[in-house]
């Protein structure tokens, strides 16, 4: 009878040892084909979640402007939200001319656009547009025309453009955003 309990215990443990763990989705590396650089700051008073940054010349304004995308990720690699700044001039300077409708931006102007969109049910769902005023500012501290490297800071206040969740914040604020990134090449990659 002493053998039977040991056999039952062995049989009970076999399925547990054969179970395979689901692979987790890795968060993009600091230097990947989609993101390059470092970005820090706070959204609604909380540190950005696993934030990654990308920058690319703005089409059709490639000689004049670029766009920056800051994407937040959950710990498992799921995309949570994206903050995008559009039509940023390729030069150092302070920018406070935000347009509510980023689709009507024109090459050669110092007006920039901005959107924030939640991408996950882990955050209250909504799309936001900038509040025009002193609480919304982007500073490009340096822009290197040779390497495409960009350094800057931002503080942005936003209001809902389209919200389908009563818990979505109004207004939404980003504070003390600091970033270092560089422009992607035309083939969509970065130099490491």
């Amino acid at each position: 009878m002493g053998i039977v309990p040991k056999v039952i215990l062995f049989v009970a443990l076999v399925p547990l040892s054969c179970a395979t763990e689901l692979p987790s989705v890795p968060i993009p590396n600091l230097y990947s084909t989609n993101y390059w650089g470092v970005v820090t700051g706070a959204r609604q008073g909380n540190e950005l979640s696993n934030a990654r940054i990308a920058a690319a010349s703005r089409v059709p304004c490639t000689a004049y402007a670029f766009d920056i995308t800051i994407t937040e990720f959950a710990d498992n690699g799921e995309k949570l939200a994206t903050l995008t700044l559009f039509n940023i001039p390729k030069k150092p300077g302070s920018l406070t001319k935000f347009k509510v409708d980023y689709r009507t931006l024109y090459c050669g102007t110092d007006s920039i656009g901005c959107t924030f969109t939640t991408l996950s049910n882990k955050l209250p769902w909504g799309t936001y547009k900038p509040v025009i005023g002193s609480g919304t500012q982007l500073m490009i501290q340096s822009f290197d025309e040779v390497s495409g490297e960009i350094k800057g800071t931002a503080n942005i206040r936003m209001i809902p453009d389209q919200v389908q969740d009563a818990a979505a914040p109004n207004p939404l604020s980003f504070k003390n955003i600091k970033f270092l990134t560089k422009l992607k090449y035309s083939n969509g990659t970065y130099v490491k």
Side-chain angles (χ1 to χ4, degrees), residues 137-192:
Q137 184 215 25
L138 171 67
M139 169 70 78
I140 300 301
Q141 296 166 319
S142 64
F143 177 81
D144 188 318
E145 292 184 26
V146 176
S147 70
E149 194 169 280
I150 307 156
K151 184 177 182 181
T153 63
N155 288 293
I156 302 167
R157 290 192 66 219
M158 305 185 88
I159 56 173
D161 188 27
Q162 182 181 9
V163 172
Q164 295 185 359
D165 190 327
N170 182 12
L172 176 70
S173 67
F174 291 87
K175 291 191 176 179
N176 302 317
I177 302 291
K178 296 177 183 177
F179 59 87
L180 172 66
T181 189
K182 67 167 67 174
L183 295 178
K184 289 181 184 179
Y185 287 114
S186 58
N187 67 1
T189 62
Y190 292 99
V191 170
K192 293 185 181 181

Side-chain angles (χ1 to χ4, degrees), residues 78-171:
E78 175 188 1
K79 283 186 181 181
L80 296 176
T82 299
L83 172 68
T84 306
L85 301 163
F86 302 93
N87 204 48
I88 304 165
K90 289 183 174 180
K91 61 183 180 182
S94 179
L95 301 159
T96 57
K97 295 180 184 175
F98 281 73
K99 286 188 83 171
V100 172
D101 183 2
Y102 72 89
R103 292 171 291 253
T104 61
L105 297 169
Y106 302 102
C107 299
T109 68
D110 284 342
S111 292
I112 62 174
C114 179
T115 62
F116 175 77
T117 304
T118 54
L119 306 169
S120 166
N121 60 7
K122 293 180 181 176
L123 292 176
W125 191 89
T127 300
Y128 289 79
K129 58 188 177 184
V131 172
I132 311 303
S134 60
T136 303
Q137 184 215 25
L138 171 67
M139 169 70 78
I140 300 301
Q141 296 166 319
S142 64
F143 177 81
D144 188 318
E145 292 184 26
V146 176
S147 70
E149 194 169 280
I150 307 156
K151 184 177 182 181
T153 63
N155 288 293
I156 302 167
R157 290 192 66 219
M158 305 185 88
I159 56 173
D161 188 27
Q162 182 181 9
V163 172
Q164 295 185 359
D165 190 327
N170 182 12

